[in-house]
Amino acid sequence: VQLQASGGGSVQPGGSLRLSCAASGTIFGINTMGWYRQAPGKQREMVATITSGGSTNYADSVKGRFTMSSDKAKNTVYLQMNSLKPEDTAVYYCNAEGVRTLKGVKDAWGQGTQVTVSS
């Protein structure tokens, strides 16, 4: 299983970005996918998650500004980030838990994508 994240970049405060993460390989289903982020000198933290049933969970710091969605047919998730703040600056990582494959159930992390919010 491989996760390919894209969509990071630099934006001014108040701007928007959309991250995408596509899971590839022989996949029969994924329990939960999520976005995590890690700022310099800080621990990795959960940003948003979405279950196979479509239930979402958000960190308090991004509620009302970020929206996570999924396209199950494409094994792809998205993170629409609006009203970005400098404190959103971090490397964003995609995660998949409970990925059902031919070799059993696996978890996976994607490569990070940098998001920089600065004037």
Side-chain angles (χ1 to χ4, degrees):
V1 176
Q2 289 190 329
L3 301 180
Q4 181 67 45
S6 61
S10 296
V11 66
Q12 292 186 339
S16 298
L17 284 173
R18 188 190 194 212
L19 305 182
S20 299
C21 175
S24 61
T26 303
I27 297 171
F28 301 109
I30 303 174
N31 285 351
T32 303
M33 293 190 74
W35 288 99
Y36 292 73
R37 67 187 180 187
Q38 187 166 18
K42 295 187 177 182
Q43 290 188 333
R44 189 174 298 189
E45 63 176 358
M46 186 275 291
V47 177
T49 61
I50 189 166
T51 68
S52 59
S55 296
T56 54
N57 185 42
Y58 298 95
D60 288 343
S61 59
V62 307
K63 282 180 181 177
R65 300 188 298 122
F66 291 10
T67 301
M68 187 170 183
S69 60
S70 67
D71 183 335
K72 293 177 65 176
K74 297 180 179 179
N75 287 324
T76 299
V77 293
Y78 308 94
L79 184 68
Q80 178 65 44
M81 304 186 293
N82 297 329
S83 302
L84 282 161
K85 304 176 181 180
E87 50 263 44
D88 294 317
T89 296
V91 177
Y92 284 69
Y93 297 91
C94 178
N95 168 265
E97 291 185 359
V99 184
R100 297 184 289 284
T101 72
L102 288 172
K103 296 184 178 181
V105 180
K106 299 179 179 294
D107 296 341
W109 286 94
Q111 91 288 2
T113 184
Q114 177 71 45
V115 171
T116 302
V117 185
S118 174
S119 56

